[in-house]
Amino acid sequence: MRSGILLLDKPQGLSSNGALQRVRRAYGAKGAGHIGTLDPMATGMLPICLDEATKVIAEIESGAKAYQFTLTLGARTDTGDADGLTVETLPVPALDTATLEAALARFRGPQSQVPPMYSALKRDGRPLYELARQGIEVERAARQLEIRSLELRAHSAASVELACECTKGTYIRVLGEDIARALGTCGHLTRLRRAWVEPFRGMSMVDLDAALAGAAAGSFLMPPDAALSHLAEAQLAEAQGVTFRRGQPATATDPVTPTGGRRVRVYGPDRVFLGLAEVLPDGRLQPRRLLLPDGQ
């Protein structure tokens, strides 16, 4: 078993699940999961967790994400991006920087957003995109989210280059359509790239060909705890580590103060990552996620 996290630079034209399965097979992993779905048209950071590293997905999947995208004005597609069919066209008004900035200001901060029909969200066990392909539209509940930053990078007569940092669950295709509507026209995405996913901001990605070529040697894999630096850590002596691995509360070598909740990451001798624990009121560590060392 080879566990770890791969920061894949997903290529255009491949689904997130397609990329996941190719990586999983190449690395010989039994289990795998990715953090945040990217549309086939989109490129950029797709963190893939293999085997034991899948146990940390729940701790990091709610993090913020950052995107760079091109919004082409004057035409709306059924999917909201360049992979769809044009369903509406409108003239594009003359736009200057001041007009664009005024429109973008309306989309910064907390807001609600209705997910698109072309999405992997499910209704009665069926992905919405399957219904959309049959021409069926169903009501979708609005989601609460936050656009933490939205920057104008460049613009021309019929396109706008933007960069965005947002919370989990934001559909950039919908954001693009809403911005176009606020500008008095319609639009769709013709480029979408995810720059980073928390907590991997600023970290290097690896392209798919390089990842597949290095799989036999286990190249490019980060350890599972590389995603947990935001949590306080606790150290256990050997005997307490044995107790912890049996699923029983254990006492840390030194008292530990949790950060952002009661979860902490736990290490045994030689910095072996044992898993995640909750700090009990008496200071002991209650195991919540136990990780097996590679090879077990």
Side-chain angles (χ1 to χ4, degrees):
M1 181 183 295
R2 181 175 285 143
S3 299
I5 301 172
L6 177 76
L7 298 183
L8 181 69
D9 188 346
K10 190 191 83 65
Q12 188 173 2
L14 185 64
S15 71
S16 292
N17 185 61
L20 172 76
Q21 296 305 329
R22 293 186 66 177
V23 169
R24 181 190 63 78
R25 288 192 295 267
Y27 281 84
K30 294 181 179 179
H34 59 71
I35 300 169
T37 300
L38 284 174
D39 297 327
M41 189 195 82
T43 65
M45 186 177 286
L46 182 70
I48 294 179
C49 298
L50 301 177
D51 284 331
E52 289 296 285
T54 60
K55 294 178 180 179
V56 306
I57 290 178
E59 300 293 327
I60 55 179
E61 64 180 354
S62 61
K65 300 172 178 65
Y67 297 89
Q68 301 155 359
F69 59 103
T70 300
L71 172 62
T72 295
L73 302 171
R76 182 172 64 87
T77 68
D78 54 0
T79 60
D81 61 24
D83 287 342
L85 300 174
T86 300
V87 294
E88 181 184 15
T89 59
L90 288 172
V92 180
L95 299 171
D96 56 24
T97 300
T99 301
L100 288 165
E101 289 289 2
L104 295 179
R106 296 163 52 183
F107 295 95
R108 299 183 182 111
Q111 57 198 271
S112 62
Q113 184 186 80
V114 177
M117 278 300 300
Y118 277 90
S119 67
L121 297 176
K122 293 185 177 181
R123 174 66 60 87
D124 298 327
R126 297 180 63 189
L128 291 184
Y129 62 77
E130 289 187 0
L131 300 176
R133 288 169 182 165
Q134 298 174 24
I136 300 172
E137 183 165 349
V138 297
E139 186 175 351
R140 288 95 66 201
R143 291 178 163 188
Q144 298 303 308
L145 52 89
E146 182 181 2
I147 305 298
R148 295 179 176 174
S149 68
L150 182 59
E151 299 178 5
L152 175 64
R153 294 291 178 85
H155 67 91
S156 64
S159 69
V160 185
E161 302 283 340
L162 299 162
C164 172
E165 181 179 330
C166 55
T167 54
K168 175 187 176 182
T170 303
Y171 285 91
I172 304 301
R173 286 177 287 137
V174 175
L175 176 63
E177 290 179 327
D178 290 344
I179 292 171
R181 194 173 297 112
L183 293 171
T185 184
C186 57
H188 66 282
L189 300 192
T190 49
R191 182 182 69 95
L192 176 60
R193 180 169 179 77
R194 187 153 65 195
W196 51 261
V197 175
E198 281 186 339
F200 307 112
R201 184 194 302 239
M203 293 189 182
S204 298
M205 294 177 263
V206 58
D207 66 48
L208 182 59
D209 288 341
L212 299 181
S219 302
F220 309 114
L221 289 182
M222 302 186 298
D225 59 327
L228 303 172
S229 59
H230 60 290
L231 297 179
E233 65 176 76
Q235 182 71 39
L236 297 180
E238 185 172 355
Q240 290 297 313
V242 171
T243 298
F244 185 83
R245 280 212 160 126
R246 289 174 178 165
Q248 301 170 356
T251 302
T253 304
D254 296 305
V256 57
T257 301
T259 55
R262 302 200 62 78
R263 294 284 178 114
V264 296
R265 48 196 165 111
V266 182
Y267 297 86
D270 300 323
R271 293 288 298 172
V272 174
F273 181 49
L274 303 180
L276 296 167
E278 179 181 349
V279 181
L280 298 175
D282 62 6
R284 291 183 301 161
L285 306 177
Q286 175 65 54
R288 293 305 182 201
R289 289 281 183 181
L290 295 174
L291 273 73
L292 295 173
D294 282 352
Q296 293 189 16

